[in-house]
Amino acid sequence: IAAILQTPIAPSLEVADQLTNFAKDNNIISLAYRIVDDCNLIYQSQIPQLFFGQENNIIKIDLNANIFLQATKSGQDIIIKEINDLAASLQAKNPDKTLNIVDLYCGIGTYSFAVLAQNPKANIKAFEGEESMINALNKNAIKNNINQKIHGFEKDLVKTPLLPKELTGQYLAIINPPRNGAESQTQHLAKSKIKSIIYISCNPAAFAVDAKILLQNGYKISKIKAIDQFVYSHHLELVAVFEK
């Protein structure tokens, strides 16, 4: 179990000791506290990991406290399958070429590493605004000896989105923006020469805004799937494939 406590102030040394003992007694692997967006580790018995791939091609990713994953494993698995199916389809059309992928709002690279575990010919540039996540991504790439296939770049895609010319040569874009969407980046993505985009969204309203931009610039939705990770609530995760 990993747990993050939301708190307005940092815990005292006495409270931190009590929390550490609580974590040890209850088999909590990792316990941290968050003040606004700043996450601080209190206790960690072992480094949480994600595993991608099978048998001789397993990628092991160390997770830090300041990460984002889907709410459920099933939801995460569905999204990863959709991404891998699309990547495999694109690779099959050009089996001798490197599949160049750009991963926008990549976090710690969950989807990028999942693609590399299935498609060793992929080459990925990953972009994220949080320095700690990019550092974790690049460290994991080195640890798994795939840093020649994936590299993370710190970039605020809201203030300084990638321009169409910076997206030249990419065959597939993976985009997983925050809840308010990625309108500024989508405006430039829509004008790029990338023919396939897979968009993951936790907010259908924000997705609709960005989808309209793509549709107005020649893209069509070839596939869309809703994932209900929060039963009996209005929240939905969406994954959609756009092709031009």
Side-chain angles (χ1 to χ4, degrees):
I1 299 173
I4 298 178
L5 307 175
Q6 187 76 33
T7 176
I9 59 173
S12 65
L13 289 176
E14 180 182 359
V15 172
D17 284 341
Q18 292 174 346
L19 289 171
T20 298
N21 291 331
F22 173 80
K24 290 178 179 178
D25 293 340
N26 290 276
N27 296 318
I28 294 176
I29 295 172
S30 179
L31 181 63
Y33 68 90
R34 176 182 286 136
I35 302 175
V36 189
D37 292 327
D38 186 21
C39 199
N40 301 271
L41 188 65
I42 297 174
Y43 170 79
Q44 190 172 64
S45 63
Q46 65 187 72
I47 298 175
Q49 291 183 312
L50 284 179
F51 297 84
F52 300 106
Q54 297 177 350
E55 297 180 358
N56 296 328
N57 188 33
I58 297 178
I59 297 175
K60 299 179 181 179
I61 305 303
D62 294 339
L63 304 178
N64 58 18
N66 216 11
I67 62 167
F68 172 82
L69 298 173
Q70 291 298 325
T72 65
K73 183 179 184 301
S74 60
Q76 183 100 336
D77 289 346
I78 291 169
I79 293 170
I80 287 174
K81 184 179 185 304
E82 294 297 329
I83 295 171
N84 277 332
D85 285 352
L86 178 59
S89 174
L90 294 173
Q91 186 69 76
K93 294 176 183 178
N94 297 282
D96 298 326
K97 291 187 177 181
T98 299
L99 182 63
N100 292 324
I101 299 173
V102 60
D103 188 354
L104 306 170
Y105 296 96
C106 65
I108 61 164
T110 306
Y111 301 132
S112 289
F113 287 121
V115 169
L116 284 169
Q118 297 293 327
N119 192 333
K121 286 188 177 181
N123 187 285
I124 302 175
K125 293 181 180 179
F127 296 86
E128 167 62 48
E130 290 290 334
E131 181 183 10
S132 62
M133 294 189 186
I134 287 299
N135 288 341
L137 184 156
N138 287 327
K139 286 179 181 178
N140 278 313
I142 293 170
K143 178 182 175 182
N144 286 275
N145 196 29
I146 53 175
N147 52 305
Q148 73 278 12
K149 297 179 180 180
I150 177 172
H151 190 80
F153 302 88
E154 182 188 351
K155 189 172 181 66
D156 187 332
L157 296 173
V158 175
K159 296 179 180 178
T160 57
L162 288 170
L163 302 176
K165 65 179 181 180
E166 295 176 283
L167 296 166
T168 300
Q170 305 301 312
Y171 298 122
L172 170 63
I174 302 168
I175 181 166
N176 182 25
R179 186 163 181 79
N180 57 353
E183 186 174 357
S184 57
Q185 180 60 77
T186 304
Q187 293 281 2
H188 295 290
L189 186 60
K191 295 174 183 176
S192 75
K193 294 183 179 181
I194 296 176
K195 295 192 175 182
S196 297
I197 299 169
I198 189 158
Y199 190 119
I200 302 104
S201 173
C202 62
N203 184 352
F207 169 80
V209 173
D210 292 343
K212 184 177 181 180
I213 295 169
L214 294 172
L215 294 173
Q216 289 174 338
N217 283 272
Y219 287 91
K220 293 182 179 179
I221 297 177
S222 61
K223 190 173 186 179
I224 188 167
K225 182 175 287 188
I227 305 166
D228 188 1
Q229 299 187 90
F230 302 94
V231 181
Y232 306 121
S233 80
H234 68 280
H235 294 287
L236 282 176
E237 194 81 13
L238 293 177
V239 57
V241 176
F242 293 84
E243 293 182 300
K244 179 163 35 174

